[in-house]
Amino acid sequence: MSALSSAVGPGSLVLRYLPAALSALVAAGFATLVPTIADYNVMRVSWPWIPGLGVELSFLIDGLSLTFALLITGIGAIVFAYSASYFKGHPKLVRLLVLLVLFEISMLGLVLADNLILMFVFWELTTITSFLLVGFDHEQESARNKALQALLVTGAGGLALLAGILLLGIVGGTYEASTLPLVADTIKEHSLYLPILTLFLLGAFTKSAQFPFHFWLPNAMAAPTPVSAYLHSATMVKAGVYLLARMTPTLGGTEPWLWSLTIVGGVTAVIGSIWALRQTDLKLALAHTTVMALGTITMFLGGAAPIALTAAATFLVVHAFYKAALFLTVGMLDKKAGSREIDALGGLALPMWRTWIIASLAALSMAGFPPFLGFVGKELKYEGALAVASEPLLVVTFAVLANAMMVAIAAAVAIKPFYGRRRSLAEQPADPPFAMWIGPAFLAIGGLIFGLAPDLVGSALINPTATVMSGDLVAKQFKLWHGVNVPLMLSILTFIIGIVLYFNLARIRAALTRLDQRGIWTAEHGYDRALTGLKAIATGQTRVIQPGRLTHYLFWTTATLAALLWSALIAGGFAVLPQAGRMPTLIEWTMLALAGFGAIATAATTSSLLAILALGLLGGTVAAIFVLYGAIDVAMTQLLVETLFVVIVAVALLKLPRLAPTTGARIRWRHLGLAGALGTGTTLTLFAVLSVDLDRRVSDFFEVTSVPEAFGRNIVNVILVDFRALDTLGEIAVVVIAALGVLALLRSRMLTAAEDRR
């Protein structure tokens, strides 16, 4: 038994590497679908979910979703295995692996969902799981703050996306992403197109860290290095560009789409590259280059030309390969050389030769040198930039500047830590264990293999992906060498500028540091000020409306209700008296008098006991009115509630200490006036309702459907239990939470009393 426990316990080899094995198995399953998808076929399955709203559990596998699924599961398997070795012996390893698996499932659901409502559910799950991953070291305040920042920014974008999805469903008549392109012209000509586009762009830009929301992504480096590798290379930060790619056939091709994506993507790419040059932490430098990559993909998604979309699809794959390898390489340096600060490392090529080779291969692909896949991607980017009909010069300028700075960063990552004088915080730097370096090596070598034979990935995944984004067949021929042409000249120019930047990296870093120290205003400063302002407003509001007295809360809550009621009556012109009818009978006058006396006495008395008794009189009178008009079941409920309320409160009053009165007659008259205003408004509302014909559509619906759909003849019960089940569940949850709170207070009081006796 002890041997079995050690084999499958929290620290066991089986448990640590099980997520990696399962993810690899899923990736292999998706890989079997590549031949089918390479022939431009589409696979779709669906099950009814909410038929009344046209929402299905529908999943779609095409070129775009399969490419993302392979990246998510393939790189996921590598990251899981890497994490199992990186965090070996860590007390929270199991927790980390569970969160990573949940995150992978959420991302898979997001990219495979065909129904936009279903996709949004997984979208929010990625937000929550990434929040937990970024704040994994929650004992550190900085990790908690950065996790909260990522949650607030992406969560706000998620709300905008939900509104856009709902509007799109109304305009397009469906929530299925695969069907919406069929009505794309109708959507683009609709008056709601611009609001829909704006909401979708807000959702995508916040998720994929586009300007001015780019600041949260580098700050998310508070997450452990393996988590950063996974988030930045293949998963969450690419969810936004996935959304843009998926919606290109439906919302793309218009001037607002073109200019929004081109300008925002280009500015994001340049800003990300510039601030990458500023960093001395290799992990932060790579994080800023991720911002650059996401901006570049977004910029090319704005172009309508198939070659621009092909460039975006190619760079999507290229970036995943080299960025995951480089992030994991930085983790190996941090683990085995003791630092990831570029100025604290040097001369590690011999003691960490495996790490050096991996970093060099991945950095060469990142810089776009032949014969790596990065070179093929860069050539396609320039070819796509030249094909943008509206502003090719602007797109080419953005692309050259960003790529040149990427060359400088790639050189810094591959050269600085491994050459020159030996510098390391570790006494004996060495390569990490096999489980840590094999995955990055696979990715780095993959960039070389696919560069030598680019058509392997081009015809199998990139062409089908570009076809989905374009809406038309894309069959690009992928080759390493295209001859001497304009893209090649731009590549050479990029290398020259990048090398110059690398040799002047110290000066550039110093200049950017001085600029930063002058307090230059950034988008993150805007976020900080907005958050500070929100907290100040919340503090002031709390000070005014929550002073700690229950009567104050009740007064202002009721006053708000009365104000809304009277506003509706006056604005709608409903404050009219009813036509003369029969006079009330003596019994009815008596009931009204008793109810009025109870209400006035409750508000006017200064005695808590008298107020409770008067309130009980009022409740009993209301119950009698229900009996008078035949509502026996409602009257019984009312009477039982009022009786129990009076008894319980009266008993509680006996146990409470005698307190000095804190309210005077003036306060009581305010309460009486408020009660009169709300009562009068309610009465006039009822008069207005009785003055028009009753709309029985809702009543008829429940009468017709209660028995055949809910199998119940008591319509009230059916409404509460079936048609309003979630509402009722929420009310029950509130009662349970309140009961737990009371129980906690009572236990605390009992423990305090026991300690006092001791």
Side-chain angles (χ1 to χ4, degrees):
M1 182 63 70
S2 60
L4 179 61
S5 299
S6 62
V8 296
S12 71
L13 191 67
V14 173
L15 186 59
R16 284 193 290 124
Y17 290 99
L18 180 61
L22 293 176
S23 186
L25 188 62
V26 175
F30 281 119
T32 61
L33 303 177
V34 169
T36 302
I37 301 303
D39 289 335
Y40 303 95
N41 295 311
V42 174
M43 304 172 65
R44 185 179 183 275
V45 294
S46 65
W47 299 271
W49 186 20
I50 312 176
L53 298 179
V55 180
E56 295 183 338
L57 285 172
S58 55
F59 296 92
L60 176 74
I61 297 180
D62 55 14
L64 179 63
S65 59
L66 181 60
T67 298
F68 269 90
L70 285 170
L71 293 177
I72 291 166
T73 54
I75 295 180
I78 292 172
V79 170
F80 295 166
Y82 182 97
S83 301
S85 179
Y86 189 90
F87 287 99
K88 183 179 180 181
H90 196 286
K92 297 179 181 178
L93 172 59
V94 174
R95 176 174 176 265
L96 176 66
L97 291 176
V98 169
L99 288 176
L100 284 172
V101 170
L102 291 176
F103 182 76
E104 180 182 66
I105 293 172
S106 302
M107 274 303 304
L108 275 179
L110 191 157
V111 301
L112 295 177
D114 189 25
N115 188 279
L116 293 180
I117 300 293
L118 179 62
M119 185 210 70
F120 175 77
V121 172
F122 288 110
W123 181 282
E124 291 302 285
L125 286 175
T126 63
T127 299
I128 295 171
T129 50
S130 63
F131 165 74
L132 296 173
L133 286 168
V134 173
F136 179 73
D137 294 324
H138 55 83
E139 296 86 358
Q140 300 180 13
E141 184 179 1
S142 60
R144 297 195 300 271
N145 291 338
K146 301 311 181 185
L148 180 62
Q149 184 183 82
L151 178 68
L152 291 177
V153 174
T154 58
L159 292 177
L161 175 61
L162 177 60
I165 289 173
L166 295 177
L167 289 178
L168 184 61
I170 293 172
V171 174
T174 180
Y175 292 110
E176 303 301 312
S178 59
T179 307
L180 283 169
L182 301 177
V183 291
D185 292 338
T186 302
I187 295 171
K188 294 172 187 176
E189 294 170 0
H190 200 277
S191 59
L192 290 176
Y193 170 72
L194 281 180
I196 291 172
L197 177 62
T198 302
L199 293 169
F200 268 84
L201 292 183
L202 283 174
F205 288 172
T206 53
K207 199 76 164 182
S208 283
Q210 298 299 293
F211 178 84
F213 310 106
H214 59 285
F215 57 87
W216 75 261
L217 191 151
N219 289 335
M221 289 300 94
T225 300
V227 174
S228 301
Y230 198 32
L231 265 64
H232 283 233
S233 61
T235 51
M236 179 189 173
V237 297
K238 283 196 170 76
V241 295
Y242 167 81
L243 177 67
L244 294 175
R246 177 61 69 188
M247 300 310 298
T248 295
T250 302
L251 301 177
T254 64
E255 288 293 317
W257 173 277
L258 168 66
W259 287 107
S260 298
L261 269 65
T262 301
I263 293 176
V264 172
V267 170
T268 303
V270 173
I271 289 177
S273 300
I274 291 174
W275 287 106
L277 298 175
R278 158 76 173 80
Q279 308 305 317
T280 59
D281 185 324
L282 290 173
K283 187 176 174 183
L284 276 176
L286 291 176
H288 283 280
T289 62
T290 298
V291 174
M292 172 270 170
L294 295 173
T296 301
I297 296 173
T298 300
M299 180 173 64
F300 282 102
L301 286 174
I307 187 61
L309 299 178
T310 304
T314 305
F315 191 53
L316 178 76
V317 177
V318 171
H319 176 261
F321 271 78
Y322 75 69
K323 186 53 63 71
L326 287 176
F327 261 117
L328 298 178
T329 299
V330 170
M332 292 189 284
L333 288 171
D334 197 12
K335 194 79 170 177
K336 290 299 182 177
S339 177
R340 59 176 190 245
E341 283 290 329
I342 194 168
D343 296 329
L345 299 172
L348 299 175
L350 290 179
M352 300 184 68
W353 63 272
R354 292 188 184 91
T355 306
W356 167 58
I357 292 175
I358 294 169
S360 299
L361 293 176
L364 286 170
S365 185
M366 175 180 174
F369 278 92
F372 291 87
L373 185 60
F375 174 77
V376 179
K378 182 158 57 62
E379 295 279 288
L380 284 173
K381 281 192 291 182
Y382 288 145
E383 189 177 347
L386 293 169
V388 176
S390 55
E391 285 295 334
L393 181 60
L394 177 66
V395 177
V396 169
T397 302
F398 279 144
V400 169
L401 288 176
N403 284 331
M405 287 181 273
M406 290 278 281
V407 172
I409 296 299
V413 174
I415 296 175
K416 289 281 189 181
F418 299 100
Y419 293 93
R421 182 173 59 86
R422 170 76 65 84
R423 291 192 302 273
S424 173
L425 297 183
E427 292 184 4
Q428 293 182 338
D431 281 318
F434 175 80
M436 286 183 64
W437 66 260
I438 186 61
F442 177 82
L443 293 170
I445 295 172
L448 176 60
I449 293 174
F450 288 129
L452 293 170
D455 206 49
L456 288 177
V457 67
S459 60
L461 292 176
I462 294 175
N463 278 338
T465 299
T467 297
V468 172
M469 295 188 289
S470 174
D472 295 319
L473 181 66
V474 175
K476 171 70 176 175
Q477 192 89 26
F478 288 84
K479 295 185 296 184
L480 179 63
W481 176 251
H482 290 271
V484 178
N485 51 21
V486 176
L488 180 63
M489 295 298 103
L490 292 174
S491 294
I492 295 174
L493 177 63
T494 300
F495 295 143
I496 295 173
I497 297 175
I499 293 171
V500 171
L501 290 175
Y502 171 73
F503 283 108
N504 291 275
L505 198 56
R507 295 178 182 177
I508 295 171
R509 186 181 298 137
L512 291 174
T513 301
R514 289 194 298 269
L515 188 64
D516 193 21
Q517 290 173 346
R518 290 178 183 176
I520 182 174
W521 193 90
T522 63
E524 186 171 8
H525 293 152
Y527 164 83
D528 292 335
R529 292 184 181 182
L531 192 59
T532 302
L534 181 63
K535 290 178 180 178
I537 293 172
T539 301
Q541 175 181 292
T542 303
R543 188 181 300 114
V544 172
I545 67 175
Q546 294 186 4
R549 290 179 52 204
L550 182 61
T551 53
H552 193 87
Y553 302 157
L554 293 175
F555 178 85
W556 286 110
T557 301
T558 310
T560 302
L561 176 61
L564 292 173
L565 189 61
W566 276 99
S567 299
L569 287 171
I570 295 172
F574 300 123
V576 294
L577 294 176
Q579 297 180 355
R582 71 173 182 85
M583 293 296 293
T585 63
L586 178 61
I587 296 178
E588 292 171 338
W589 278 118
T590 303
M591 298 294 182
L592 291 174
L594 288 173
F597 175 77
I600 295 172
T602 301
T605 183
T606 59
S607 170
S608 299
L609 184 59
L610 287 178
I612 295 301
L613 294 175
L615 191 61
L617 173 62
L618 175 59
T621 305
V622 173
I625 293 175
F626 287 142
V627 172
L628 186 64
Y629 287 97
I632 303 298
D633 53 346
V634 180
M636 290 178 61
T637 304
Q638 173 76 15
L639 189 61
L640 287 172
V641 170
E642 291 296 334
T643 303
L644 288 172
F645 178 76
V646 172
V647 171
I648 292 172
V649 173
V651 171
L653 287 175
L654 296 176
K655 299 292 184 180
L656 290 176
R658 188 177 296 277
L659 301 175
T662 58
T663 58
R666 182 177 62 85
I667 300 297
R668 289 296 183 183
W669 284 111
R670 283 175 57 198
H671 295 172
L672 186 61
L674 177 60
L678 183 58
T680 304
T682 304
T683 302
L684 291 177
T685 301
L686 292 175
F687 283 157
V689 171
L690 294 174
S691 65
V692 298
D693 294 332
L694 181 64
D695 189 345
R696 289 190 50 83
R697 283 180 295 176
V698 176
S699 301
D700 292 340
F701 170 79
F702 287 125
E703 289 176 359
V704 171
T705 58
S706 291
V707 174
E709 293 192 12
F711 306 103
R713 298 185 180 278
N714 188 319
I715 296 178
V716 175
N717 289 347
V718 167
I719 292 173
L720 293 175
V721 176
D722 293 283
F723 292 104
R724 291 178 54 192
L726 292 177
D727 188 13
T728 304
L729 178 62
E731 294 171 357
I732 295 172
V734 170
V735 173
V736 172
I737 292 171
L740 291 174
V742 172
L743 178 61
L745 289 173
L746 291 175
R747 291 186 62 184
S748 176
R749 176 63 179 168
M750 292 171 62
L751 291 173
T752 303
E755 291 177 358
D756 292 341
R757 286 195 298 270
R758 286 198 295 268

